[in-house]
Amino acid sequence: MNQQFPEGFILLLTSITAKRPKTVIDHILQHGYITTEELKELYGYNHPPRAIRDVREQGIPLETFKVKDSNGRSIAAYRFGDPNQVRNTQLSGRTAFTHKLKKQLIQKYGCKCHISLIELPERDLQIDHRIPFEIAGDSEVNSLDLQNYMLLSASSNRLKSWSCEHCPNWILKDISVCLQCYWAYPENYHHIATQQMRRVDIEWIGEEATQFDKLCEIAKQDKRSIPEFIKKIIQKNILDNNSK
């Protein structure tokens, strides 16, 4: 165990028993740091940033730096940060989200997913930082101001997490990039995870599912995928409107 850390910090580290953060913590204690390659190859975590986030959500400060992997490529590595930066776990990461905050967000935005705009029961909505906590940390854009949060369905939250974790800005941590991203502000954005793209997320719910099934049948007859067929319909509609 690394004796350079204060005893209180070591006690905090060893008090964490949840499997994923404990795995990361134990590895760093033994080796000094852990890499994304080790998280994948040694421990089978296909999304290393998620394991790192689990540690940070326990209030443990981690620093990100670059090392070379076994093929000589530059990858992310993580080590413990300043022990004085330990956060109360009740205030860290997602654990800060309260029922009161959800109620306030519903009052401000409605009881719906901010990405798909589908209305959902309150229990099916999750609170998320517009700017990922891993990038903005405790900065002003992650203050308790309601405009810094959004409500997402579970599926939209997973999509956002995957896209953010694979975005080049996950390493650069430039907040201004996130402020212009679809995943932070789908109502007004310039890129999606730094890519010049535009996106519409559509869900067919309940009785609407039969409409989707019919759409699949027609698309199959047209020998197109669903996204291709929907684009075809939209393009035809635009051309029809332009010809009027």
Side-chain angles (χ1 to χ4, degrees), residues 53-71:
R53 181 165 60 195
D54 286 346
V55 177
R56 286 175 170 150
E57 287 180 353
Q58 297 291 332
I60 306 300
L62 290 178
E63 295 178 350
T64 305
F65 63 104
K66 292 291 190 69
V67 297
K68 299 294 185 180
D69 69 4
S70 56
N71 294 315

Side-chain angles (χ1 to χ4, degrees), residues 175-195:
I175 293 176
S176 66
V177 172
C178 292
L179 288 171
Q180 300 184 66
C181 182
Y182 170 82
W183 294 114
Y185 291 93
E187 63 271 33
N188 182 24
Y189 65 97
H190 299 284
H191 64 83
I192 302 178
T194 73
Q195 300 296 312

Side-chain angles (χ1 to χ4, degrees), residues 229-240:
F229 189 65
I230 291 175
K231 284 185 178 181
K232 177 184 176 181
I233 294 173
I234 294 173
Q235 290 166 355
K236 183 179 185 303
N237 185 267
I238 292 174
L239 290 174
D240 289 346

